[in-house]
Amino acid sequence: QVQLVESGGGLVQAGGSLRLSCAASGSGFSIKTMAWHRQPPGKQRELVAGITDGGSTNYADSVKGRFTISRDNAKNTMYLQMNSLLVEDTATYYCQALMTWGPHQVNYWGQGTQVTVSS
């Protein structure tokens, strides 16, 4: 049974920082791409940042220069360092991982962690 478990969300003042983690549990798989997505209240889910198994990254324009995505392949864990947080960063943050077992690929999502930025 594969699970993605996010942690690190919370309430922070504007200008503050948070670090999100996403740990994949289970065995026998390889993780290809991983990504963080977020869904602000009343809005659609959007991609925040992604990272390949080789370490290549991409970011939404709205978070470039403020957020940093990283991963520890040995721990099957992905991180999102969020600095200079803005009120508009308030959202539920979800991690997503594309996993492979031999020729098979399955996309997994975490349950989400709430980030609230107050003014």
Side-chain angles (χ1 to χ4, degrees):
Q1 181 84 13
V2 174
Q3 277 189 313
L4 296 179
V5 179
E6 299 113 331
S7 60
L11 173 64
V12 64
Q13 284 192 324
S17 298
L18 282 174
R19 189 190 193 210
L20 305 183
S21 299
C22 171
S25 62
S27 63
F29 57 82
S30 296
I31 304 178
K32 305 303 283 186
T33 58
M34 301 184 79
W36 288 99
H37 302 254
R38 67 185 181 187
Q39 187 163 16
K43 297 184 178 181
Q44 289 188 328
R45 192 174 297 190
E46 60 183 10
L47 175 67
V48 176
I51 186 166
T52 69
D53 52 354
S56 297
T57 59
N58 63 285
Y59 296 91
D61 288 343
S62 60
V63 306
K64 281 181 182 176
R66 301 188 297 121
F67 291 10
T68 302
I69 190 171
S70 62
R71 63 191 280 178
D72 184 334
N73 291 331
K75 296 181 179 179
N76 288 330
T77 301
M78 173 178 64
Y79 306 95
L80 186 68
Q81 178 66 44
M82 304 185 294
N83 299 327
S84 303
L85 282 161
L86 307 172
V87 172
E88 48 265 43
D89 293 319
T90 295
T92 302
Y93 284 70
Y94 298 90
C95 71
Q96 172 256 322
L98 181 64
M99 299 185 182
T100 64
W101 289 262
H104 307 291
Q105 290 187 344
V106 180
N107 205 28
Y108 283 90
W109 289 86
Q111 81 288 354
T113 185
Q114 180 66 36
V115 171
T116 302
V117 184
S118 63
S119 59

PDB file of all heavy atoms in Angstrom, residues 2-7 21-25 34-39 45 78 92-99 106-114:
ATOM      1  N   VAL A   2       0.778   2.029  -1.033  1.00  0.00           N
ATOM      2  CA  VAL A   2       1.564   3.246  -1.152  1.00  0.00           C
ATOM      3  C   VAL A   2       0.763   4.422  -0.604  1.00  0.00           C
ATOM      4  O   VAL A   2      -0.433   4.555  -0.870  1.00  0.00           O
ATOM      5  CB  VAL A   2       1.948   3.516  -2.610  1.00  0.00           C
ATOM      6  CG1 VAL A   2       2.640   4.867  -2.738  1.00  0.00           C
ATOM      7  CG2 VAL A   2       2.852   2.403  -3.130  1.00  0.00           C
ATOM      8  N   GLN A   3       1.424   5.259   0.149  1.00  0.00           N
ATOM      9  CA  GLN A   3       0.794   6.467   0.670  1.00  0.00           C
ATOM     10  C   GLN A   3       1.742   7.645   0.543  1.00  0.00           C
ATOM     11  O   GLN A   3       2.959   7.497   0.654  1.00  0.00           O
ATOM     12  CB  GLN A   3       0.433   6.306   2.146  1.00  0.00           C
ATOM     13  CG  GLN A   3      -0.875   5.611   2.422  1.00  0.00           C
ATOM     14  CD  GLN A   3      -1.271   5.692   3.884  1.00  0.00           C
ATOM     15  OE1 GLN A   3      -0.463   5.441   4.771  1.00  0.00           O
ATOM     16  NE2 GLN A   3      -2.507   6.065   4.131  1.00  0.00           N
ATOM     17  N   LEU A   4       1.167   8.811   0.300  1.00  0.00           N
ATOM     18  CA  LEU A   4       1.910  10.067   0.364  1.00  0.00           C
ATOM     19  C   LEU A   4       1.357  10.826   1.557  1.00  0.00           C
ATOM     20  O   LEU A   4       0.149  11.064   1.636  1.00  0.00           O
ATOM     21  CB  LEU A   4       1.721  10.894  -0.904  1.00  0.00           C
ATOM     22  CG  LEU A   4       2.252  10.320  -2.207  1.00  0.00           C
ATOM     23  CD1 LEU A   4       1.957  11.272  -3.363  1.00  0.00           C
ATOM     24  CD2 LEU A   4       3.750  10.072  -2.115  1.00  0.00           C
ATOM     25  N   VAL A   5       2.243  11.218   2.455  1.00  0.00           N
ATOM     26  CA  VAL A   5       1.807  11.913   3.666  1.00  0.00           C
ATOM     27  C   VAL A   5       2.502  13.260   3.744  1.00  0.00           C
ATOM     28  O   VAL A   5       3.737  13.336   3.805  1.00  0.00           O
ATOM     29  CB  VAL A   5       2.117  11.099   4.930  1.00  0.00           C
ATOM     30  CG1 VAL A   5       1.670  11.859   6.173  1.00  0.00           C
ATOM     31  CG2 VAL A   5       1.427   9.737   4.861  1.00  0.00           C
ATOM     32  N   GLU A   6       1.681  14.324   3.718  1.00  0.00           N
ATOM     33  CA  GLU A   6       2.224  15.675   3.814  1.00  0.00           C
ATOM     34  C   GLU A   6       2.259  16.116   5.270  1.00  0.00           C
ATOM     35  O   GLU A   6       1.446  15.676   6.095  1.00  0.00           O
ATOM     36  CB  GLU A   6       1.364  16.681   3.031  1.00  0.00           C
ATOM     37  CG  GLU A   6       1.264  16.402   1.549  1.00  0.00           C
ATOM     38  CD  GLU A   6      -0.125  16.005   1.158  1.00  0.00           C
ATOM     39  OE1 GLU A   6      -0.829  15.433   2.001  1.00  0.00           O
ATOM     40  OE2 GLU A   6      -0.512  16.266  -0.002  1.00  0.00           O
ATOM     41  N   SER A   7       3.176  17.016   5.560  1.00  0.00           N
ATOM     42  CA  SER A   7       3.241  17.631   6.887  1.00  0.00           C
ATOM     43  C   SER A   7       3.889  18.998   6.758  1.00  0.00           C
ATOM     44  O   SER A   7       4.492  19.305   5.719  1.00  0.00           O
ATOM     45  CB  SER A   7       4.031  16.753   7.860  1.00  0.00           C
ATOM     46  OG  SER A   7       5.349  16.569   7.403  1.00  0.00           O
ATOM     47  N   SER A  21       6.675  18.958   3.896  1.00  0.00           N
ATOM     48  CA  SER A  21       7.305  17.688   3.560  1.00  0.00           C
ATOM     49  C   SER A  21       6.259  16.741   3.008  1.00  0.00           C
ATOM     50  O   SER A  21       5.088  16.808   3.383  1.00  0.00           O
ATOM     51  CB  SER A  21       7.950  17.051   4.795  1.00  0.00           C
ATOM     52  OG  SER A  21       8.959  17.867   5.325  1.00  0.00           O
ATOM     53  N   CYS A  22       6.703  15.851   2.143  1.00  0.00           N
ATOM     54  CA  CYS A  22       5.826  14.825   1.577  1.00  0.00           C
ATOM     55  C   CYS A  22       6.620  13.539   1.545  1.00  0.00           C
ATOM     56  O   CYS A  22       7.592  13.426   0.790  1.00  0.00           O
ATOM     57  CB  CYS A  22       5.361  15.216   0.185  1.00  0.00           C
ATOM     58  SG  CYS A  22       4.488  13.902  -0.700  1.00  0.00           S
ATOM     59  N   ALA A  23       6.204  12.563   2.343  1.00  0.00           N
ATOM     60  CA  ALA A  23       6.910  11.303   2.436  1.00  0.00           C
ATOM     61  C   ALA A  23       6.096  10.196   1.790  1.00  0.00           C
ATOM     62  O   ALA A  23       4.901  10.042   2.075  1.00  0.00           O
ATOM     63  CB  ALA A  23       7.189  10.964   3.896  1.00  0.00           C
ATOM     64  N   ALA A  24       6.741   9.423   0.939  1.00  0.00           N
ATOM     65  CA  ALA A  24       6.093   8.286   0.289  1.00  0.00           C
ATOM     66  C   ALA A  24       6.436   7.019   1.046  1.00  0.00           C
ATOM     67  O   ALA A  24       7.608   6.725   1.279  1.00  0.00           O
ATOM     68  CB  ALA A  24       6.553   8.181  -1.156  1.00  0.00           C
ATOM     69  N   SER A  25       5.417   6.278   1.426  1.00  0.00           N
ATOM     70  CA  SER A  25       5.634   5.008   2.127  1.00  0.00           C
ATOM     71  C   SER A  25       5.256   3.859   1.207  1.00  0.00           C
ATOM     72  O   SER A  25       4.462   4.008   0.289  1.00  0.00           O
ATOM     73  CB  SER A  25       4.786   4.957   3.396  1.00  0.00           C
ATOM     74  OG  SER A  25       3.410   5.017   3.082  1.00  0.00           O
ATOM     75  N   MET A  34       7.819  14.420  -9.049  1.00  0.00           N
ATOM     76  CA  MET A  34       7.035  14.790  -7.877  1.00  0.00           C
ATOM     77  C   MET A  34       6.678  16.266  -8.024  1.00  0.00           C
ATOM     78  O   MET A  34       7.386  17.027  -8.685  1.00  0.00           O
ATOM     79  CB  MET A  34       7.819  14.564  -6.582  1.00  0.00           C
ATOM     80  CG  MET A  34       8.266  13.138  -6.375  1.00  0.00           C
ATOM     81  SD  MET A  34       9.082  12.877  -4.785  1.00  0.00           S
ATOM     82  CE  MET A  34       7.659  12.784  -3.679  1.00  0.00           C
ATOM     83  N   ALA A  35       5.605  16.632  -7.387  1.00  0.00           N
ATOM     84  CA  ALA A  35       5.183  18.025  -7.520  1.00  0.00           C
ATOM     85  C   ALA A  35       4.331  18.442  -6.334  1.00  0.00           C
ATOM     86  O   ALA A  35       3.731  17.597  -5.653  1.00  0.00           O
ATOM     87  CB  ALA A  35       4.393  18.232  -8.815  1.00  0.00           C
ATOM     88  N   TRP A  36       4.306  19.738  -6.121  1.00  0.00           N
ATOM     89  CA  TRP A  36       3.389  20.345  -5.166  1.00  0.00           C
ATOM     90  C   TRP A  36       2.322  21.114  -5.955  1.00  0.00           C
ATOM     91  O   TRP A  36       2.642  21.860  -6.881  1.00  0.00           O
ATOM     92  CB  TRP A  36       4.118  21.309  -4.238  1.00  0.00           C
ATOM     93  CG  TRP A  36       4.987  20.631  -3.247  1.00  0.00           C
ATOM     94  CD1 TRP A  36       6.336  20.436  -3.314  1.00  0.00           C
ATOM     95  CD2 TRP A  36       4.577  20.051  -1.998  1.00  0.00           C
ATOM     96  NE1 TRP A  36       6.792  19.772  -2.204  1.00  0.00           N
ATOM     97  CE2 TRP A  36       5.722  19.521  -1.379  1.00  0.00           C
ATOM     98  CE3 TRP A  36       3.346  19.931  -1.351  1.00  0.00           C
ATOM     99  CZ2 TRP A  36       5.677  18.883  -0.138  1.00  0.00           C
ATOM    100  CZ3 TRP A  36       3.293  19.302  -0.120  1.00  0.00           C
ATOM    101  CH2 TRP A  36       4.455  18.785   0.483  1.00  0.00           C
ATOM    102  N   HIS A  37       1.103  20.937  -5.547  1.00  0.00           N
ATOM    103  CA  HIS A  37      -0.026  21.674  -6.092  1.00  0.00           C
ATOM    104  C   HIS A  37      -0.731  22.356  -4.924  1.00  0.00           C
ATOM    105  O   HIS A  37      -0.538  21.967  -3.774  1.00  0.00           O
ATOM    106  CB  HIS A  37      -1.016  20.731  -6.787  1.00  0.00           C
ATOM    107  CG  HIS A  37      -0.422  19.931  -7.896  1.00  0.00           C
ATOM    108  ND1 HIS A  37      -0.676  20.200  -9.233  1.00  0.00           N
ATOM    109  CD2 HIS A  37       0.431  18.876  -7.873  1.00  0.00           C
ATOM    110  CE1 HIS A  37      -0.021  19.318  -9.979  1.00  0.00           C
ATOM    111  NE2 HIS A  37       0.668  18.508  -9.179  1.00  0.00           N
ATOM    112  N   ARG A  38      -1.539  23.351  -5.233  1.00  0.00           N
ATOM    113  CA  ARG A  38      -2.316  23.991  -4.170  1.00  0.00           C
ATOM    114  C   ARG A  38      -3.691  24.375  -4.690  1.00  0.00           C
ATOM    115  O   ARG A  38      -3.885  24.594  -5.886  1.00  0.00           O
ATOM    116  CB  ARG A  38      -1.610  25.226  -3.611  1.00  0.00           C
ATOM    117  CG  ARG A  38      -1.493  26.385  -4.580  1.00  0.00           C
ATOM    118  CD  ARG A  38      -0.656  27.507  -3.962  1.00  0.00           C
ATOM    119  NE  ARG A  38      -0.534  28.654  -4.856  1.00  0.00           N
ATOM    120  CZ  ARG A  38       0.242  29.694  -4.621  1.00  0.00           C
ATOM    121  NH1 ARG A  38       0.993  29.743  -3.502  1.00  0.00           N
ATOM    122  NH2 ARG A  38       0.299  30.707  -5.475  1.00  0.00           N
ATOM    123  N   GLN A  39      -4.622  24.448  -3.762  1.00  0.00           N
ATOM    124  CA  GLN A  39      -5.982  24.840  -4.099  1.00  0.00           C
ATOM    125  C   GLN A  39      -6.435  25.905  -3.116  1.00  0.00           C
ATOM    126  O   GLN A  39      -6.759  25.611  -1.956  1.00  0.00           O
ATOM    127  CB  GLN A  39      -6.932  23.646  -4.061  1.00  0.00           C
ATOM    128  CG  GLN A  39      -8.318  23.979  -4.559  1.00  0.00           C
ATOM    129  CD  GLN A  39      -9.124  22.744  -4.896  1.00  0.00           C
ATOM    130  OE1 GLN A  39      -8.786  21.638  -4.492  1.00  0.00           O
ATOM    131  NE2 GLN A  39     -10.194  22.928  -5.652  1.00  0.00           N
ATOM    132  N   ARG A  45      -7.394  23.857  -8.378  1.00  0.00           N
ATOM    133  CA  ARG A  45      -6.060  23.402  -8.001  1.00  0.00           C
ATOM    134  C   ARG A  45      -5.068  23.857  -9.065  1.00  0.00           C
ATOM    135  O   ARG A  45      -5.360  23.806 -10.252  1.00  0.00           O
ATOM    136  CB  ARG A  45      -6.037  21.888  -7.852  1.00  0.00           C
ATOM    137  CG  ARG A  45      -4.789  21.334  -7.197  1.00  0.00           C
ATOM    138  CD  ARG A  45      -4.906  19.846  -6.952  1.00  0.00           C
ATOM    139  NE  ARG A  45      -5.987  19.527  -6.017  1.00  0.00           N
ATOM    140  CZ  ARG A  45      -6.176  18.312  -5.494  1.00  0.00           C
ATOM    141  NH1 ARG A  45      -5.326  17.331  -5.789  1.00  0.00           N
ATOM    142  NH2 ARG A  45      -7.172  18.099  -4.665  1.00  0.00           N
ATOM    143  N   MET A  78       9.887  14.579  -0.438  1.00  0.00           N
ATOM    144  CA  MET A  78       9.969  15.833  -1.166  1.00  0.00           C
ATOM    145  C   MET A  78       9.671  16.964  -0.199  1.00  0.00           C
ATOM    146  O   MET A  78       8.901  16.780   0.762  1.00  0.00           O
ATOM    147  CB  MET A  78       8.943  15.844  -2.304  1.00  0.00           C
ATOM    148  CG  MET A  78       8.799  17.148  -3.044  1.00  0.00           C
ATOM    149  SD  MET A  78       7.606  17.063  -4.401  1.00  0.00           S
ATOM    150  CE  MET A  78       6.083  16.748  -3.529  1.00  0.00           C
ATOM    151  N   THR A  92      -4.849  24.882   0.411  1.00  0.00           N
ATOM    152  CA  THR A  92      -4.506  23.516   0.778  1.00  0.00           C
ATOM    153  C   THR A  92      -3.448  23.038  -0.208  1.00  0.00           C
ATOM    154  O   THR A  92      -3.645  23.130  -1.424  1.00  0.00           O
ATOM    155  CB  THR A  92      -5.726  22.592   0.729  1.00  0.00           C
ATOM    156  OG1 THR A  92      -6.743  23.098   1.603  1.00  0.00           O
ATOM    157  CG2 THR A  92      -5.339  21.186   1.173  1.00  0.00           C
ATOM    158  N   TYR A  93      -2.344  22.562   0.308  1.00  0.00           N
ATOM    159  CA  TYR A  93      -1.225  22.126  -0.521  1.00  0.00           C
ATOM    160  C   TYR A  93      -1.215  20.601  -0.607  1.00  0.00           C
ATOM    161  O   TYR A  93      -1.304  19.908   0.419  1.00  0.00           O
ATOM    162  CB  TYR A  93       0.092  22.644   0.055  1.00  0.00           C
ATOM    163  CG  TYR A  93       0.316  24.108  -0.214  1.00  0.00           C
ATOM    164  CD1 TYR A  93      -0.458  25.077   0.428  1.00  0.00           C
ATOM    165  CD2 TYR A  93       1.268  24.548  -1.131  1.00  0.00           C
ATOM    166  CE1 TYR A  93      -0.281  26.429   0.166  1.00  0.00           C
ATOM    167  CE2 TYR A  93       1.450  25.896  -1.388  1.00  0.00           C
ATOM    168  CZ  TYR A  93       0.671  26.826  -0.743  1.00  0.00           C
ATOM    169  OH  TYR A  93       0.867  28.168  -1.010  1.00  0.00           O
ATOM    170  N   TYR A  94      -1.093  20.108  -1.835  1.00  0.00           N
ATOM    171  CA  TYR A  94      -1.113  18.677  -2.084  1.00  0.00           C
ATOM    172  C   TYR A  94       0.197  18.243  -2.735  1.00  0.00           C
ATOM    173  O   TYR A  94       0.691  18.927  -3.639  1.00  0.00           O
ATOM    174  CB  TYR A  94      -2.246  18.312  -3.023  1.00  0.00           C
ATOM    175  CG  TYR A  94      -3.626  18.621  -2.499  1.00  0.00           C
ATOM    176  CD1 TYR A  94      -4.228  19.860  -2.741  1.00  0.00           C
ATOM    177  CD2 TYR A  94      -4.351  17.670  -1.781  1.00  0.00           C
ATOM    178  CE1 TYR A  94      -5.495  20.155  -2.273  1.00  0.00           C
ATOM    179  CE2 TYR A  94      -5.621  17.948  -1.310  1.00  0.00           C
ATOM    180  CZ  TYR A  94      -6.185  19.191  -1.554  1.00  0.00           C
ATOM    181  OH  TYR A  94      -7.451  19.459  -1.093  1.00  0.00           O
ATOM    182  N   CYS A  95       0.720  17.112  -2.327  1.00  0.00           N
ATOM    183  CA  CYS A  95       1.851  16.558  -3.056  1.00  0.00           C
ATOM    184  C   CYS A  95       1.347  15.490  -4.015  1.00  0.00           C
ATOM    185  O   CYS A  95       0.316  14.859  -3.787  1.00  0.00           O
ATOM    186  CB  CYS A  95       2.916  16.015  -2.122  1.00  0.00           C
ATOM    187  SG  CYS A  95       2.494  14.516  -1.244  1.00  0.00           S
ATOM    188  N   GLN A  96       2.079  15.319  -5.060  1.00  0.00           N
ATOM    189  CA  GLN A  96       1.735  14.386  -6.137  1.00  0.00           C
ATOM    190  C   GLN A  96       3.010  13.697  -6.577  1.00  0.00           C
ATOM    191  O   GLN A  96       4.061  14.339  -6.666  1.00  0.00           O
ATOM    192  CB  GLN A  96       1.076  15.150  -7.291  1.00  0.00           C
ATOM    193  CG  GLN A  96       0.838  14.339  -8.537  1.00  0.00           C
ATOM    194  CD  GLN A  96       1.828  14.665  -9.617  1.00  0.00           C
ATOM    195  OE1 GLN A  96       2.220  15.811  -9.814  1.00  0.00           O
ATOM    196  NE2 GLN A  96       2.259  13.656 -10.345  1.00  0.00           N
ATOM    197  N   ALA A  97       2.922  12.393  -6.833  1.00  0.00           N
ATOM    198  CA  ALA A  97       4.100  11.639  -7.247  1.00  0.00           C
ATOM    199  C   ALA A  97       3.711  10.632  -8.321  1.00  0.00           C
ATOM    200  O   ALA A  97       2.705   9.915  -8.182  1.00  0.00           O
ATOM    201  CB  ALA A  97       4.720  10.927  -6.051  1.00  0.00           C
ATOM    202  N   LEU A  98       4.512  10.587  -9.357  1.00  0.00           N
ATOM    203  CA  LEU A  98       4.351   9.587 -10.411  1.00  0.00           C
ATOM    204  C   LEU A  98       5.291   8.435 -10.082  1.00  0.00           C
ATOM    205  O   LEU A  98       6.506   8.607 -10.084  1.00  0.00           O
ATOM    206  CB  LEU A  98       4.684  10.173 -11.772  1.00  0.00           C
ATOM    207  CG  LEU A  98       4.537   9.215 -12.954  1.00  0.00           C
ATOM    208  CD1 LEU A  98       3.079   8.789 -13.114  1.00  0.00           C
ATOM    209  CD2 LEU A  98       5.051   9.875 -14.234  1.00  0.00           C
ATOM    210  N   MET A  99       4.705   7.287  -9.784  1.00  0.00           N
ATOM    211  CA  MET A  99       5.484   6.134  -9.347  1.00  0.00           C
ATOM    212  C   MET A  99       5.441   5.028 -10.387  1.00  0.00           C
ATOM    213  O   MET A  99       4.430   4.880 -11.094  1.00  0.00           O
ATOM    214  CB  MET A  99       4.954   5.611  -8.025  1.00  0.00           C
ATOM    215  CG  MET A  99       5.038   6.628  -6.898  1.00  0.00           C
ATOM    216  SD  MET A  99       4.529   5.884  -5.341  1.00  0.00           S
ATOM    217  CE  MET A  99       4.663   7.295  -4.264  1.00  0.00           C
ATOM    218  N   VAL A 106       1.713   4.806 -11.896  1.00  0.00           N
ATOM    219  CA  VAL A 106       0.515   5.217 -11.160  1.00  0.00           C
ATOM    220  C   VAL A 106       0.787   6.590 -10.551  1.00  0.00           C
ATOM    221  O   VAL A 106       1.865   6.829 -10.006  1.00  0.00           O
ATOM    222  CB  VAL A 106       0.151   4.223 -10.038  1.00  0.00           C
ATOM    223  CG1 VAL A 106      -1.106   4.693  -9.302  1.00  0.00           C
ATOM    224  CG2 VAL A 106      -0.072   2.824 -10.602  1.00  0.00           C
ATOM    225  N   ASN A 107      -0.192   7.457 -10.660  1.00  0.00           N
ATOM    226  CA  ASN A 107      -0.085   8.796 -10.091  1.00  0.00           C
ATOM    227  C   ASN A 107      -0.754   8.803  -8.710  1.00  0.00           C
ATOM    228  O   ASN A 107      -1.925   8.416  -8.591  1.00  0.00           O
ATOM    229  CB  ASN A 107      -0.787   9.788 -11.011  1.00  0.00           C
ATOM    230  CG  ASN A 107      -0.249  11.184 -10.863  1.00  0.00           C
ATOM    231  OD1 ASN A 107       0.901  11.389 -10.519  1.00  0.00           O
ATOM    232  ND2 ASN A 107      -1.096  12.167 -11.119  1.00  0.00           N
ATOM    233  N   TYR A 108      -0.042   9.245  -7.705  1.00  0.00           N
ATOM    234  CA  TYR A 108      -0.578   9.292  -6.350  1.00  0.00           C
ATOM    235  C   TYR A 108      -0.659  10.736  -5.860  1.00  0.00           C
ATOM    236  O   TYR A 108       0.151  11.587  -6.244  1.00  0.00           O
ATOM    237  CB  TYR A 108       0.302   8.497  -5.380  1.00  0.00           C
ATOM    238  CG  TYR A 108       0.115   7.012  -5.478  1.00  0.00           C
ATOM    239  CD1 TYR A 108       0.891   6.252  -6.347  1.00  0.00           C
ATOM    240  CD2 TYR A 108      -0.836   6.356  -4.702  1.00  0.00           C
ATOM    241  CE1 TYR A 108       0.728   4.890  -6.452  1.00  0.00           C
ATOM    242  CE2 TYR A 108      -1.011   4.991  -4.796  1.00  0.00           C
ATOM    243  CZ  TYR A 108      -0.226   4.259  -5.677  1.00  0.00           C
ATOM    244  OH  TYR A 108      -0.407   2.905  -5.772  1.00  0.00           O
ATOM    245  N   TRP A 109      -1.643  10.956  -4.980  1.00  0.00           N
ATOM    246  CA  TRP A 109      -1.827  12.259  -4.355  1.00  0.00           C
ATOM    247  C   TRP A 109      -1.858  12.096  -2.839  1.00  0.00           C
ATOM    248  O   TRP A 109      -2.356  11.092  -2.318  1.00  0.00           O
ATOM    249  CB  TRP A 109      -3.149  12.887  -4.801  1.00  0.00           C
ATOM    250  CG  TRP A 109      -3.155  13.326  -6.219  1.00  0.00           C
ATOM    251  CD1 TRP A 109      -3.452  12.569  -7.323  1.00  0.00           C
ATOM    252  CD2 TRP A 109      -2.855  14.641  -6.707  1.00  0.00           C
ATOM    253  NE1 TRP A 109      -3.338  13.336  -8.455  1.00  0.00           N
ATOM    254  CE2 TRP A 109      -2.988  14.601  -8.116  1.00  0.00           C
ATOM    255  CE3 TRP A 109      -2.490  15.845  -6.088  1.00  0.00           C
ATOM    256  CZ2 TRP A 109      -2.762  15.734  -8.916  1.00  0.00           C
ATOM    257  CZ3 TRP A 109      -2.284  16.960  -6.884  1.00  0.00           C
ATOM    258  CH2 TRP A 109      -2.410  16.891  -8.274  1.00  0.00           C
ATOM    259  N   GLY A 110      -1.326  13.088  -2.149  1.00  0.00           N
ATOM    260  CA  GLY A 110      -1.462  13.132  -0.708  1.00  0.00           C
ATOM    261  C   GLY A 110      -2.823  13.689  -0.308  1.00  0.00           C
ATOM    262  O   GLY A 110      -3.611  14.095  -1.156  1.00  0.00           O
ATOM    263  N   GLN A 111      -3.059  13.714   0.988  1.00  0.00           N
ATOM    264  CA  GLN A 111      -4.365  14.135   1.501  1.00  0.00           C
ATOM    265  C   GLN A 111      -4.472  15.653   1.632  1.00  0.00           C
ATOM    266  O   GLN A 111      -5.562  16.180   1.817  1.00  0.00           O
ATOM    267  CB  GLN A 111      -4.640  13.479   2.861  1.00  0.00           C
ATOM    268  CG  GLN A 111      -3.977  14.153   4.056  1.00  0.00           C
ATOM    269  CD  GLN A 111      -2.479  13.950   4.141  1.00  0.00           C
ATOM    270  OE1 GLN A 111      -1.884  13.200   3.363  1.00  0.00           O
ATOM    271  NE2 GLN A 111      -1.840  14.615   5.106  1.00  0.00           N
ATOM    272  N   GLY A 112      -3.362  16.335   1.544  1.00  0.00           N
ATOM    273  CA  GLY A 112      -3.373  17.792   1.622  1.00  0.00           C
ATOM    274  C   GLY A 112      -3.003  18.301   2.999  1.00  0.00           C
ATOM    275  O   GLY A 112      -3.290  17.665   4.010  1.00  0.00           O
ATOM    276  N   THR A 113      -2.353  19.458   3.021  1.00  0.00           N
ATOM    277  CA  THR A 113      -2.035  20.131   4.278  1.00  0.00           C
ATOM    278  C   THR A 113      -2.368  21.613   4.117  1.00  0.00           C
ATOM    279  O   THR A 113      -2.090  22.209   3.080  1.00  0.00           O
ATOM    280  CB  THR A 113      -0.565  19.920   4.675  1.00  0.00           C
ATOM    281  OG1 THR A 113      -0.325  20.491   5.964  1.00  0.00           O
ATOM    282  CG2 THR A 113       0.404  20.545   3.672  1.00  0.00           C
ATOM    283  N   GLN A 114      -2.978  22.184   5.124  1.00  0.00           N
ATOM    284  CA  GLN A 114      -3.456  23.553   5.036  1.00  0.00           C
ATOM    285  C   GLN A 114      -2.354  24.540   5.382  1.00  0.00           C
ATOM    286  O   GLN A 114      -1.660  24.396   6.395  1.00  0.00           O
ATOM    287  CB  GLN A 114      -4.645  23.764   5.979  1.00  0.00           C
ATOM    288  CG  GLN A 114      -5.215  25.172   5.955  1.00  0.00           C
ATOM    289  CD  GLN A 114      -5.852  25.528   4.630  1.00  0.00           C
ATOM    290  OE1 GLN A 114      -6.473  24.691   3.973  1.00  0.00           O
ATOM    291  NE2 GLN A 114      -5.703  26.787   4.206  1.00  0.00           N
TER     292      GLN A 114
END
